[in-house]
Structures are given as C-alpha cells and as structure tokens.
C-alpha cells in the first residue's frame, strides 16, 4: 500500500458528539464512506464557492453520486466579502428550493469562508443538520474547519453572528492544496505560526528552518505542517470546546488582526491580517510586561521570512483600536487580548489566557511600532 494514502485520524471530543479529522493525501476519495458512517443522509448539499466549484466540486460530487448519494451543488461567489447573512439566505433558499429536508447533510467544500458560512447554514437549517467539513485551503485545513465555530460577518465586524456547530467529520486532503494560489498558502502559514507561538517553540523553529520548502508548497513539508497544526488546534478544542479558557489562546493576533482585516475592506487576507496582528500583539504584550522582550521582532522576522506582511503602519492606531471594540472579545468596556508570554507559550500568567487592555495602551503600542521603524 502506498504510504502516502495512510489515513491518519485525530479524534476531537465535543459535547454534541465527538468527531474525527481524517488526514491523508487522497482522503477526498473517502468522503462518501465517511458521510455514510457519520451522517447517514441520503441527500446532500455540497456548498462551495465558485472558484472551488470549478476546480474540485465535480470530483467530490462524482464520488458521492457513485456511492448513491443525491447531491446538489450550491456555489456562491468567493471571498470574505460574501461571508454574509445575504449569502446565508441565498444558500438556505437554494436548499429549500431543492426540497432538502431534515434528513439532509451539508458538505462544506472550500476555504474558511465556505466552512464558516456552510457550517452556519447547517447549524440553522431545519434547526440543525449535520455538516462535514472538507477544507481546500491551508488555513481551513489547519484551523477553521476544526472546532465547530461557524458564522458570518456583518458591517459592524467579523463573525458577529454565528453558532457552535461541530462537524460530523473533517476530511483533510493535502492534495487539494495543489491548486491553491501562493498568497493563500502563505496566509495559511500565518495560522501555523500562531499555533507555534502559543504552544510549541520547537514547531516554530521547524517552520523557520523549512520556510523555503513550505513557501514552495513541497508536499512533504506541507503534510508535516498540516499534521502538527491539526494536533495543536484539536488539542485546544478538546480541552475547551466553548472557549471559556485555554482555547482563547487561538485568538492570539486576532484582536488587532480582525480590526485591520475589517479596516482594509477585506483587501488583506485573513492570514495576512493575523500576521500583522501577531506582531502588534506581541509588541503590546512586551509593553504590558506580559511578553518576553524580543518576541515581537522574532515573530516579525519569522513571518517576513514566509513572505507575510507585518506592518500595521498604513492604519491609524486610533482607528485600529476603535475597530477592536466591534470584536466579540470586547467585554464590559475593555477589549480582551489573548497574548503570549514568550515564543512557544501562550497566556498572560499561569492559567490566565487573556487580559483586558486599556485603549491608551493599545494605541501607544501601535504608535511605538510605527515610530521606531522596526519591526513595522
Ligand atoms: N471557524 C474558525 O475557527 C476559523 C478559524 C480561522 C479562520 N476562520 C475564517 O476563515 C476565513 C478565511 O479562510 P480562507 O483563508 O480559507 O479564505 P477563503 O475561504 O476565502 O479561501 C481563499 C481563496 O482561495 C480560494 N480557494 C479555496 N480553495 C482553493 C483551492 N484548493 N485551489 C484554488 N483556490 C482555492 C477561494 O475561492 C478563495 O478565493 C475567514 O473568514 C476567517 O474568519 C475561521
Ligand atoms: Zn484565524
């Protein structure tokens, strides 16, 4: 047997029923069997975006139909701008028009936008139908498809309407990444750096040492990265499904990241915004005495080596901090930040995962980053 076809499985416990992440080159071929054993649905909505539809939907749908499933492909225009309530309504209406009932299942084939949106459709359709996540971007494979967070953006900010709706299974097939444009591959690497920064210094070193192979999408290096990142993400979800404690660490870089992502009008990719956010939040942590000195420049150097942006300089510090207020993590007036203590260790103190930050500190730290010319 070809060793690359070995099916590695990572189990993720969940209150509503645990699930498995199937990781293997060629795992897409197993989708029909996985659907049968985890959902038992005869009819499926294959929800995807138009770009992924053109590249991969026929193969996925063909395999499902060959196994006797009735499949309806529903594609919406690609991009974060379409992760909206309007698209949620359009996809839901298409499912209703197709006569899909309570016994249907949703297959989310695409990046994090498709996963979040199709997951939210599944969470709400007929008060909830099963979803199987089939991530096709690096970012979705190592982060967004795992953990059950689903939702849409609103003009007031990102992910403000949504639900926890764990998938019945995740099918992670790195072969699907072969068609992914380089900038989206790099954006995914930002979330891998986040995993290393909050949980595993050795992993960070490995990413740094293998930067060239990763940027060139070398199959071996990518498979190794996907495996380790899935382990880390699944580990946090297993410890804290509903993000009351350690799972908050996965938000490192995301408070400022979401703010600059929104302010850029989604010109910045999510992973690019998170790269900028991690540098800014490491600098903020240094200012607050939470984060070891030198961490901001170390994470900036690593991200720059991977071809990611690190400068928040084009955004006015006050506007960024204003935009962080729209984030769900704002509680009782002050905005919560998940910081790191040092490269490879998340948190703000032992067993403390986040910290409320005064606007003045956040503004001063962003201004300082701009002022000294480095690392921004
Ligand atoms: N739910 C979570 O826990 C979680 C975690 C992290 C990020 N997210 C969300 O994920 C989203 C970002 O996800 P993303 O970066 O995957 O963006 P995305 O879904 O927009 O995909 C990026 C682009 O790549 C294209 N694409 C996807 N797969 C492809 C393939 N195999 N070949 C060629 N093109 C392909 C898409 O059409 C799109 O244009 C954000 O909305 C973010 O909030 C969610
Ligand atoms: Zn993210």
């Amino acid at each position: 047997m070809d060793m690359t076809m070995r099916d590695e499985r990572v189990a993720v416990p969940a209150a509503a029923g645990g699930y498995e992440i199937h990781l293997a080159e060629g795992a897409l071929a197993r989708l029909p069997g996985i659907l049968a054993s985890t959902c038992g649905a005869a009819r499926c909505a294959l929800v995807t975006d138009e770009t992924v539809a053109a590249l991969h939907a026929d193969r996925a749908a063909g395999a499902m139909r060959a196994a006797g499933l009735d499949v309806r492909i529903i594609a919406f225009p690609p991009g974060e701008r379409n992760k909206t309530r309007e698209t949620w309504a359009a996809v839901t209406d298409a499912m209703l028009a197709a006569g899909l009932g309570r016994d249907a299942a949703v297959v989310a084939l695409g990046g994090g936008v498709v996963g979040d949106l199709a997951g939210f459709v599944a969470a709400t359709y007929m008060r909830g139908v099963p979803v199987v996540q089939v991530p096709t971007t690096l970012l979705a494979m190592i982060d967004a498809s795992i953990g059950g967070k689903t939702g849409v953006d609103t003009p007031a900010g990102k992910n403000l309407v949504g639900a926890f709706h764990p998938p019945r299974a995740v099918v992670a097939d790195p072969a699907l990444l072969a068609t992914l444009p380089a900038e989206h591959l790099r954006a995914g690497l930002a979330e891998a750096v986040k995993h290393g920064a909050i949980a595993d210094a050795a992993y960070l070193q490995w990413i740094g040492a293998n930067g060239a192979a990763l940027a060139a999408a070398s199959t071996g290096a990518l498979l190794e990265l996907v495996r380790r990142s899935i382990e880390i993400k699944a580990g946090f979800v297993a410890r804290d499904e509903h993000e009351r404690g350690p799972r908050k660490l996965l938000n490192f870089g995301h408070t400022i990241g979401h703010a600059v992502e929104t302010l850029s009008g989604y010109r910045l990719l999510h992973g690019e915004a998170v790269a900028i956010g991690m540098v800014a939040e490491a600098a903020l942590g240094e200012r607050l005495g939470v984060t070891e000195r030198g961490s901001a420049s170390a994470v900036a150097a690593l991200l720059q080596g991977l071809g990611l942006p690190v400068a928040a300089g084009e955004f006015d510090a006050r506007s960024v901090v204003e935009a962080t207020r729209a984030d769900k993590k704002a509680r009782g007036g002050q905005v919560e930040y998940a910081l790191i203590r040092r490269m490879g260790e998340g948190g703000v103190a032992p067993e403390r995962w986040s910290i409320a930050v005064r606007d003045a500190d956040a503004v001063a730290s962003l201004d300082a980053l701009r002022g000294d010319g480095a690392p921004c």
Side-chain angles (χ1 to χ4, degrees), residues 4 18 26 43 68 88 156 166 179 189 192 240 251 255 258 291 309 339 343 375:
T4 57
R43 305 187 70 196
W88 169 86
T179 54
L189 293 176
D240 173 23
N251 293 319
T255 305
H258 280 165
T291 305
L339 299 176
M343 295 286 274

Side-chain angles (χ1 to χ4, degrees), residues 205-302:
Q205 274 181 351
W206 180 89
I207 293 173
N210 289 278
L214 291 166
S218 138
T219 314
L222 267 186
L223 187 61
E224 195 52 40
L225 178 117
V226 169
R227 178 185 293 129
R228 182 65 191 125
S229 267
I230 284 178
E231 267 171 20
I232 293 173
K233 168 99 195 211
F236 277 107
V237 173
R239 281 167 70 195
D240 173 23
E241 186 183 2
H242 292 113
E243 201 175 296
R244 298 191 179 103
R247 185 171 174 179
K248 289 184 182 174
L249 296 184
L250 290 160
N251 293 319
F252 173 55
H254 280 64
T255 305
I256 289 175
H258 280 165
V260 297
E261 188 181 356
T262 310
L263 283 178
S264 79
Y266 299 115
R267 179 185 48 75
L268 281 173
L269 300 178
H270 176 73
E272 293 172 337
V274 168
I276 291 169
M278 285 192 286
V279 177
E281 292 181 17
L284 174 63
E286 290 186 31
R287 180 183 182 83
L288 298 174
V290 165
T291 305
E292 188 173 85
R293 294 221 160 267
S295 302
S297 52
V299 76
L302 179 57

Side-chain angles (χ1 to χ4, degrees), residues 140-158:
M141 204 169 283
I142 66 174
D143 205 316
S145 64
I146 306 161
K149 279 196 193 178
T150 73
V152 293
D153 305 331
T154 81
K158 268 182 63 71

Side-chain angles (χ1 to χ4, degrees), residues 39-250:
C39 302
R43 305 187 70 196
C44 288
L46 181 67
V47 180
T48 186
D49 70 33
E50 285 161 5
T51 304
V52 178
L55 292 165
H56 301 293
D58 285 347
R59 202 150 53 86
M64 290 158 70
R65 287 180 182 131
L69 283 162
D70 177 354
V71 183
R72 186 69 57 129
I73 299 176
I74 302 172
F76 62 87
E80 186 74 32
R81 284 186 191 82
N82 297 301
K83 197 176 111 177
T84 59
R85 287 171 291 194
E86 289 72 24
T87 307
W88 169 86
V91 172
T92 301
D93 285 347
M95 288 173 64
L96 290 168
L100 294 171
R102 245 183 247 279
D103 57 349
V106 170
V107 173
L109 177 75
V113 166
V114 168
D116 282 7
L117 187 122
F120 187 47
V121 167
T124 47
Y125 193 73
M126 308 262 166
R127 298 199 183 87
V129 297
V131 61
V132 169
Q133 294 281 352
V134 187
T136 64
T137 64
L138 180 60
L139 187 144
M141 204 169 283
I142 66 174
D143 205 316
S145 64
I146 306 161
K149 279 196 193 178
T150 73
V152 293
D153 305 331
T154 81
K158 268 182 63 71
N159 302 331
L160 293 180
V161 176
F164 276 100
H165 189 58
R168 292 287 173 93
V170 180
V171 180
D173 181 353
L176 292 169
L177 303 178
T179 54
L180 191 64
E183 71 266 26
H184 288 291
L185 190 82
R186 286 196 293 270
L189 293 176
E191 301 276 13
V193 169
K194 177 193 78 179
H195 294 147
I198 62 173
D200 187 346
Y203 182 41
L204 277 182
Q205 274 181 351
W206 180 89
I207 293 173
N210 289 278
L214 291 166
S218 138
T219 314
L222 267 186
L223 187 61
E224 195 52 40
L225 178 117
V226 169
R227 178 185 293 129
R228 182 65 191 125
S229 267
I230 284 178
E231 267 171 20
I232 293 173
K233 168 99 195 211
F236 277 107
V237 173
R239 281 167 70 195
D240 173 23
E241 186 183 2
H242 292 113
E243 201 175 296
R244 298 191 179 103
R247 185 171 174 179
K248 289 184 182 174
L249 296 184
L250 290 160

